[in-house]
């Protein structure tokens, strides 16, 4: 889905150091192509920074300042798309010529949204609830072309089927990995994979917080090809 709209007045961003690409250095020609547009990740998440770094593109990261409160009766898909756009727009004043990436994610257990637990007891509670059940992760993604005031927004779902977990397994996992800053109380890129029966979805990187397959498609639409 793509929309055209005028940006709202953004809040000043807080810059953090740019992430380094994790792939092999491109050729001189490729570096020249890649430097034609500035790329900005509107996030301070180390997981999203690591994911974006896999594409081997130079980018900067900035902290968006925006209200993430859910609106009354707002569906999860609408929530994450709205916040992904808001995060991208929030740093646009500092990067008026850039392509800006915004992303937001929620975990859904039936009609309940599972946020970041913030501590041990809440993490234990979330995993008890998820035991033997399916949790759907909705990841909103926005690529905002600040130069041309053009944006693309989409939502990428991913499903996690949990095993039936014992109390001992839940406690052992929480104490070892301490996933207190992760929606749903697990890290799929770490030991959290041991909690699952199966994973279902088009883009496994979406589960970590930044769906790279979809992002590459949006970037190609904007004239940036990670393979060039």
């Amino acid at each position: 889905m793509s929309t055209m709209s005028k940006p709202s007045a953004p809040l000043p961003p807080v810059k953090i150091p740019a992430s380094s690409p994790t792939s092999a250095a491109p050729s001189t020609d490729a570096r020249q192509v890649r430097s034609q547009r500035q790329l900005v990740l509107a996030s301070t998440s180390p997981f999203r920074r690591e994911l974006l770094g896999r594409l081997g593109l130079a980018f900067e990261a900035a902290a968006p300042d925006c209200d993430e409160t859910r609106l009354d009766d707002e569906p999860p898909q609408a929530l994450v798309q709205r916040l992904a756009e808001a995060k991208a727009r929030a740093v646009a004043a500092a990067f008026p010529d850039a392509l800006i990436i915004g992303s937001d994610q929620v975990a859904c257990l039936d009609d309940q949204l599972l946020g970041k637990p913030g501590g041990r007891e809440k993490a234990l509670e979330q995993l008890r609830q998820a035991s033997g059940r399916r949790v759907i992760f909705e990841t909103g993604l926005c690529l905002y072309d600040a130069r041309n005031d053009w944006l693309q927004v989409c939502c990428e779902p991913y499903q996690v089927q949990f095993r039936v977990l014992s109390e001992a397994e839940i406690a052992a996992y929480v104490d070892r990995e301490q996933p207190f800053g992760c929606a749903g109380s697990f890290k799929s890129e770490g030991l959290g994979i041991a909690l699952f029966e199966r994973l279902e979805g088009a883009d496994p990187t979406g589960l970590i917080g930044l769906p790279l397959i979809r992002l590459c498609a949006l970037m190609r639409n904007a004239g940036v090809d990670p393979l060039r």
Side-chain angles (χ1 to χ4, degrees), residues 11-218:
L11 294 169
V14 179
K15 291 187 179 180
I16 61 177
S19 175
S20 299
T22 58
S23 63
S27 66
T28 301
D29 289 344
R31 283 196 296 268
Q32 290 173 347
V33 171
R34 292 176 181 203
S35 65
Q36 288 179 0
R37 290 300 302 273
Q38 182 182 28
L39 186 64
V40 175
L41 176 64
S43 174
T44 58
S45 165
F47 306 111
R48 291 191 175 106
R49 290 175 66 189
E50 188 277 329
L51 286 170
L52 185 55
R54 294 182 190 181
L55 299 182
L57 298 171
F59 68 93
E60 296 184 58
D65 188 357
C66 57
D67 184 0
E68 299 187 31
T69 304
R70 185 185 185 187
L71 304 179
D72 291 341
D73 300 320
E74 187 174 26
Q77 296 89 344
L79 169 65
V80 296
Q81 290 182 92
R82 178 176 62 82
L83 293 182
E85 178 182 345
K87 290 176 181 181
R89 289 188 182 278
V91 304
F95 303 98
D97 196 51
L99 291 173
I100 305 173
I101 302 164
S103 185
D104 192 75
Q105 184 183 72
V106 296
C108 308
L109 182 60
D110 296 331
D111 295 329
Q112 179 184 0
L113 296 190
L114 303 178
K116 299 175 182 178
R120 185 177 188 274
E121 292 306 314
K122 186 65 174 179
L124 293 172
E125 178 186 342
Q126 285 190 350
L127 289 177
R128 291 187 191 109
Q129 291 177 314
S131 176
R133 301 171 69 184
R134 176 172 297 187
V135 177
I136 300 176
F137 285 78
E138 302 284 2
T139 303
L141 179 64
C142 174
L143 184 65
Y144 179 50
D145 183 341
R147 176 196 295 172
N148 299 305
D149 189 25
W150 180 65
L151 62 86
Q152 303 171 79
V153 185
C154 61
C155 182
E156 187 71 28
Y158 205 87
Q159 299 183 25
V160 176
Q161 178 65 48
F162 280 80
R163 298 188 298 107
V164 175
L165 304 170
S166 69
E167 188 66 25
E169 286 178 312
I170 292 173
Y173 172 72
V174 168
D175 290 340
R176 286 179 62 181
E177 197 145 66
Q178 300 184 4
F180 307 142
C182 302
S185 300
F186 68 84
K187 298 178 183 179
S188 63
E189 69 278 14
L191 185 60
I193 201 73
L195 305 173
F196 309 150
E197 181 177 299
R198 64 181 178 275
L199 303 174
E200 300 175 7
D203 191 341
T205 56
L207 181 58
I208 307 174
L210 188 66
L212 294 182
I213 294 175
R214 183 63 69 90
L215 176 60
C216 286
L218 301 186

